[in-house]
Amino acid sequence: MSLELRQIAELAAKDKNMVFTTLAHLIDVKLLNHSYNMLRKDAASGVDEQTAQEYAENLVENVKDLHERLEQRRYRALPVKRVWLDKDDGKKRPIGITAFEDKIVQRAAVMILEQVYEQDFYEFSQGYRRGKGAHKALQMLREFCMNHTVTAIIDADISGCYDNLDHQVLYELLHRRVKDGGIDRLIGKWLNAGVIDGKEMYFADKGTPQGAVISPLLANIYLHYVLDEWFVKEIQPRLKGKAFLIRFADDFVIAFEYREDAERVMKVLACRFERFKLTIHPKKTRLATFRRPPREVEKDQENETFDFLGFTHYWAKSRQGSWVIKRRTARKRLRRAVKALNEWCRNNRHLDIREQYRKLCQKLKGHYQYYGIRCNYRSLEIVFNQTIRMWRKWLSRRSDKAAISWEKFKQYLAKFVLPAPRIIHQFV
């Protein structure tokens, strides 16, 4: 971190009411080069089809030219290329892919703004922040529920958060700490650059492209004031018992000691978000009973489960006979993982078997890396066994010959050993 950025962080931490008005000038050649180094080089290219490798061929001149355009206000953001990903409910999720040069400037802006807002963000905000992550959020939630009396959980869902961020409200919230015309202009360029979907181009009057480098930080700033600060300063002091909020980007749950507190918050939650032009999904947001059953009870019929960050949370007995919170892969996520592996095996069945083996190893290891938490071994086994079944199925359909027998396929598996299920995160 440069001296200037460190000084900004120190000033922001020292005075929580300080408003920064001159930050854009910190985007210099050195910061742009650092920003370039931080970006993924294998990500998809934007509308200009320029890759990181092509940009690096003349990196010094390209960065220098980019800086000059920023200084002279000649920089123009390119439209965002929109792609659609399948969701668990059969619908499509829009993802925006920005041009590589825009990613560089956005990453530089993020590095500056982080110095201010990281001093304000709460510890329970774990999404897209350095040193934070989904597994830490899961650990914090479990520890609170295990160490405190919890009776109810609000499992909330924000309808299309990234797509519905109001631009005017965003600037108003941003100006509570950063009121810099240069930063405003850059954010305006990215928000109003337009979206190319196939052959059509349109301009959105709200939202920020999900997938853009700047979007997670803008969403965190927005929700920090809409939810986090409101919960800490206005909700918690008025509650009868203890409560705990854990948020990962636009996904959050609130745990309560008393159900009556949860019911009161549930009544005002939608109104709070409507005030900032966001919508709490009425069907996907629910109040669940979630409490530690008595030790002598074998099963609590009234207890419910809830999903958070791809895991279903539930009470179950440990080997010692005490009640603990366990997590398993959520059914939707499990189906999605199996479906994705099946489609890959089908679409790539004509590849060389060594290449298929290498790719499947990568996919299984990636799955274990996220879902490999304690008490979730059985779900990992399902994915592993389904992968073996689907691989044999689609290898058998590479030609009109008879299907590969299990005896013969076991010989393949002896030579190409797929990574077995593994618990990666023992203490999550």
Side-chain angles (χ1 to χ4, degrees), residues 299-333:
K299 187 174 182 180
D300 190 346
Q301 299 292 342
E302 295 184 3
N303 241 345
E304 301 175 78
T305 65
F306 69 93
D307 292 350
F308 183 59
L309 297 181
F311 293 92
T312 298
H313 299 66
Y314 62 100
W315 284 101
K317 283 198 170 183
S318 67
R319 293 180 179 178
Q320 291 73 31
S322 58
W323 287 99
V324 296
I325 295 175
K326 295 185 178 182
R327 282 78 52 89
R328 61 174 179 264
T329 306
R331 290 181 181 178
K332 289 183 179 180
R333 294 292 187 93

Side-chain angles (χ1 to χ4, degrees), residues 47-48 78-84 95-97 193-203:
V47 294
D48 60 348
L78 292 177
V80 175
K81 181 168 72 174
R82 172 155 289 179
V83 296
W84 296 87
I95 298 294
I97 303 176
V195 176
I196 294 181
D197 190 351
K199 295 182 179 180
E200 297 182 2
M201 180 172 178
Y202 63 92
F203 297 88

Side-chain angles (χ1 to χ4, degrees), residues 70-96:
L70 286 168
E71 276 196 325
Q72 300 170 10
R73 299 186 184 180
R74 292 187 293 110
Y75 164 75
R76 295 290 182 270
L78 292 177
V80 175
K81 181 168 72 174
R82 172 155 289 179
V83 296
W84 296 87
L85 302 180
D86 293 329
K87 294 177 65 175
D88 299 322
D89 56 5
K91 297 181 180 179
K92 299 282 187 177
R93 180 193 302 276
I95 298 294

Side-chain angles (χ1 to χ4, degrees), residues 140-169:
M140 292 175 66
L141 176 60
R142 185 178 187 274
E143 286 180 354
F144 180 85
C145 293
M146 290 289 295
N147 297 329
H148 299 84
T149 302
V150 172
T151 61
I153 295 279
I154 291 180
D155 179 12
D157 182 87
I158 306 174
S159 299
C161 179
Y162 284 86
D163 295 332
N164 291 294
L165 295 183
D166 186 88
H167 292 174
Q168 183 178 350
V169 174

Side-chain angles (χ1 to χ4, degrees), residues 345-357 391-404 412:
C345 289
R346 180 187 63 188
N347 296 333
N348 297 276
R349 62 185 183 272
H350 294 295
L351 289 179
D352 182 80
I353 192 169
R354 294 176 180 79
E355 180 65 15
Q356 291 188 46
Y357 167 71
W391 196 21
R392 172 185 169 271
K393 171 186 174 181
W394 292 110
L395 282 178
S396 297
R397 299 189 182 187
R398 298 214 297 183
S399 66
D400 295 331
K401 296 180 180 179
I404 300 174
Y412 281 117

Side-chain angles (χ1 to χ4, degrees), residues 112-129:
I112 294 173
L113 293 174
E114 277 180 340
Q115 309 312 315
V116 178
Y117 289 101
E118 279 296 323
Q119 317 311 317
D120 297 345
F121 290 159
Y122 293 99
E123 182 66 18
F124 56 72
S125 172
Q126 289 287 323
Y128 304 105
R129 296 175 58 196

Side-chain angles (χ1 to χ4, degrees), residues 107-315:
R107 174 55 62 190
V110 166
M111 285 190 285
I112 294 173
L113 293 174
E114 277 180 340
Q115 309 312 315
V116 178
Y117 289 101
E118 279 296 323
Q119 317 311 317
D120 297 345
F121 290 159
Y122 293 99
E123 182 66 18
F124 56 72
S125 172
Q126 289 287 323
Y128 304 105
R129 296 175 58 196
R130 295 185 185 182
K132 316 294 182 184
H135 293 103
K136 190 172 181 180
L138 292 166
Q139 181 181 359
M140 292 175 66
L141 176 60
R142 185 178 187 274
E143 286 180 354
F144 180 85
C145 293
M146 290 289 295
N147 297 329
H148 299 84
T149 302
V150 172
T151 61
I153 295 279
I154 291 180
D155 179 12
D157 182 87
I158 306 174
S159 299
C161 179
Y162 284 86
D163 295 332
N164 291 294
L165 295 183
D166 186 88
H167 292 174
Q168 183 178 350
V169 174
L170 174 62
Y171 282 119
E172 291 174 358
L173 297 176
L174 186 73
H175 290 168
R176 295 187 183 185
R177 283 294 252 166
V178 176
K179 198 172 184 179
D180 183 336
I183 295 294
D184 284 354
R185 279 192 297 274
L186 286 176
I187 293 176
K189 291 178 187 294
W190 299 322
L191 295 181
N192 300 304
V195 176
I196 294 181
D197 190 351
K199 295 182 179 180
E200 297 182 2
M201 180 172 178
Y202 63 92
F203 297 88
D205 57 356
K206 61 180 179 179
T208 178
Q210 191 169 350
V213 175
I214 193 70
S215 293
L217 178 61
L218 295 181
N220 270 336
I221 294 171
Y222 205 103
L223 293 176
H224 168 77
Y225 293 109
V226 174
L227 177 64
D228 302 354
E229 193 173 74
W230 172 70
F231 177 78
V232 171
K233 295 184 178 181
E234 297 186 35
I235 295 299
Q236 280 187 320
R238 292 177 168 85
L239 297 180
K240 181 180 177 181
K242 294 182 179 179
F244 177 74
L245 165 68
I246 186 73
R247 181 175 66 81
F248 188 91
D250 59 339
D251 195 2
F252 70 93
V253 295
I254 312 176
F256 295 89
E257 182 178 359
Y258 296 113
R259 187 178 181 87
E260 59 189 271
D261 286 338
E263 291 172 347
R264 289 168 56 199
V265 173
M266 191 73 172
K267 290 179 180 178
V268 301
L269 190 63
C271 295
R272 173 66 182 182
F273 277 79
E274 286 176 6
R275 179 182 168 187
F276 293 89
K277 301 185 180 181
L278 289 176
T279 304
I280 293 292
H281 199 294
K283 294 183 178 180
K284 295 183 179 180
T285 300
R286 66 190 185 98
L287 177 57
T289 299
F290 194 78
R291 63 190 180 193
R292 184 193 299 269
R295 187 179 180 89
E296 63 275 8
V297 174
E298 288 301 321
K299 187 174 182 180
D300 190 346
Q301 299 292 342
E302 295 184 3
N303 241 345
E304 301 175 78
T305 65
F306 69 93
D307 292 350
F308 183 59
L309 297 181
F311 293 92
T312 298
H313 299 66
Y314 62 100
W315 284 101

